[in-house]
Amino acid sequence: KNMIQSLFKEKLDWSDFPTQNGILDYCFQMKEELGIEFVIGILDKAIKVNMREVRITALKYTYLLTKNEKYISLAEKDISSHIRKMAKELKEEEYKNRF
């Protein structure tokens, strides 16, 4: 956990986002071992990052872990059209799974 926290950045350059997304992927995959609260804490920080590529990953994973509509709402309001599109796709997928 300490290593993840030391590697995670909130202000990124283009060269940083693959590493940051790798951290988010690892946290999502290891959620049981790391603890859901820890993982959601990292993802919540990542939602505020200045790079779209990191925010889209964080919003998707946080929604998938929590099923909390607040994350879809945040994605729908994001300045990035890619993130708004992802929110629409997640809602459509959720709707399909209900019926």
Side-chain angles (χ1 to χ4, degrees):
K1 289 181 181 181
N2 290 334
M3 191 166 114
I4 290 168
Q5 289 174 326
S6 70
L7 292 172
F8 183 77
K9 298 179 184 178
E10 295 186 42
K11 297 287 183 195
L12 303 178
D13 295 318
W14 275 103
S15 60
D16 296 325
F17 89 80
T19 301
Q20 301 307 298
N21 271 349
I23 291 169
L24 299 181
D25 289 341
Y26 178 81
C27 286
F28 184 74
Q29 293 169 6
M30 302 298 287
K31 60 189 168 282
E32 303 298 326
E33 292 84 349
L34 294 170
I36 297 292
E37 288 181 27
F38 174 80
V39 172
I40 290 173
I42 293 291
L43 293 169
D44 277 338
K45 287 181 186 175
I47 288 168
K48 299 172 186 130
V49 165
N50 63 325
M51 297 292 283
R52 166 195 71 179
E53 291 81 357
V54 175
R55 286 195 321 276
I56 197 168
T57 302
L59 285 161
K60 180 179 181 179
Y61 284 165
T62 309
Y63 175 73
L64 291 174
L65 283 176
T66 66
K67 296 298 184 185
N68 188 330
E69 292 292 322
K70 131 181 145 173
Y71 296 107
I72 293 291
S73 180
L74 286 171
E76 289 174 327
K77 295 173 188 170
D78 198 275
I79 58 172
S80 167
S81 63
H82 295 282
I83 293 176
R84 293 190 308 270
K85 180 181 177 200
M86 182 267 310
K88 182 180 177 188
E89 290 169 356
L90 280 175
K91 280 178 86 170
E92 288 172 359
E93 187 66 31
E94 190 66 25
Y95 180 78
K96 285 181 196 174
N97 289 338
R98 287 184 187 169
F99 300 103

